[in-house]
Amino acid sequence: MSVRKAAGASVAALVAATLALTAGCGAGGDEPAKSKERDKSGRPTASSPATPGEEPPPREDGRERKPKGPKREATPVVPRASLTPATGSFTKKEKKYLVGRVPEGLEPAAVLEAGRTACARLRTTAKASRKDAISALKAGEIDNAEPAIEHLCPKFEPLLKAAGKK
């Protein structure tokens, strides 16, 4: 019976992953390609539609136009006074790390765990290879690394400086 439940859960996870990967993908295969008008420099003219990833046409005065993206609304964060764990308390370092990082409705301990995970990942990577740790910091491969180093694991500041992030 437990094998069936596990298999059902695996199938459900596979279906969910497939739906997530294909969400927002239009068929588009049946539509003929639209020709785009271009000026002498090869840029689309003002009358041709801009496609995602393509530069918009320059302005009349020759300056580049910046593509307009969707505006993000600021996510409300939990105020400093309300940053308390379900049990126990946060240290001063932990509370400084959490200020301005905990969205409303999220447990502060979960955000703190993300910072601790960044420190742990840095620790294991640096133990194996200092060079790899610096490369990971440069590439932004370790989520929350900069604030985590600043507040939770300052012993890794030399790596952050070597990566050119501080």
Side-chain angles (χ1 to χ4, degrees):
M1 188 69 128
S2 64
V3 173
R4 283 187 178 179
K5 286 182 182 178
S10 296
V11 170
L14 181 60
V15 169
T18 302
L19 289 173
L21 288 172
T22 59
C25 295
D30 296 338
E31 294 180 27
K34 296 179 182 176
S35 63
K36 296 188 178 168
E37 298 174 26
R38 298 194 177 268
D39 64 11
K40 292 178 183 175
S41 67
R43 293 180 184 233
T45 62
S47 64
S48 65
T51 58
E54 186 174 32
E55 290 182 13
R59 296 180 181 187
E60 298 280 326
D61 60 4
R63 294 185 303 162
E64 294 289 321
R65 289 187 191 194
K66 294 184 181 176
K68 293 182 182 178
K71 292 184 181 179
R72 293 186 187 179
E73 294 183 25
T75 305
V77 293
V78 175
R80 182 184 181 93
S82 299
L83 290 173
T84 55
T87 60
S89 61
F90 293 125
T91 65
K92 286 183 181 181
K93 289 186 334 180
E94 292 170 339
K95 201 151 194 174
K96 278 186 177 181
Y97 172 77
L98 292 170
V99 171
R101 286 190 177 78
V102 182
E104 283 184 7
L106 190 63
E107 181 64 37
V111 176
L112 180 60
E113 186 59 31
R116 288 180 178 159
T117 300
C119 289
R121 203 164 155 211
L122 269 167
R123 188 180 307 92
T124 57
T125 305
K127 186 176 179 181
S129 168
R130 184 177 194 276
K131 183 180 173 184
D132 288 347
I134 293 169
S135 294
L137 288 169
K138 278 183 184 178
E141 293 175 1
I142 300 175
D143 291 335
N144 305 306
E146 292 177 51
I149 291 170
E150 182 181 344
H151 299 288
L152 302 174
C153 47
K155 69 180 183 180
F156 295 118
E157 280 188 20
L159 296 175
L160 197 60
K161 286 180 183 175
K165 297 283 186 173
K166 190 160 187 172

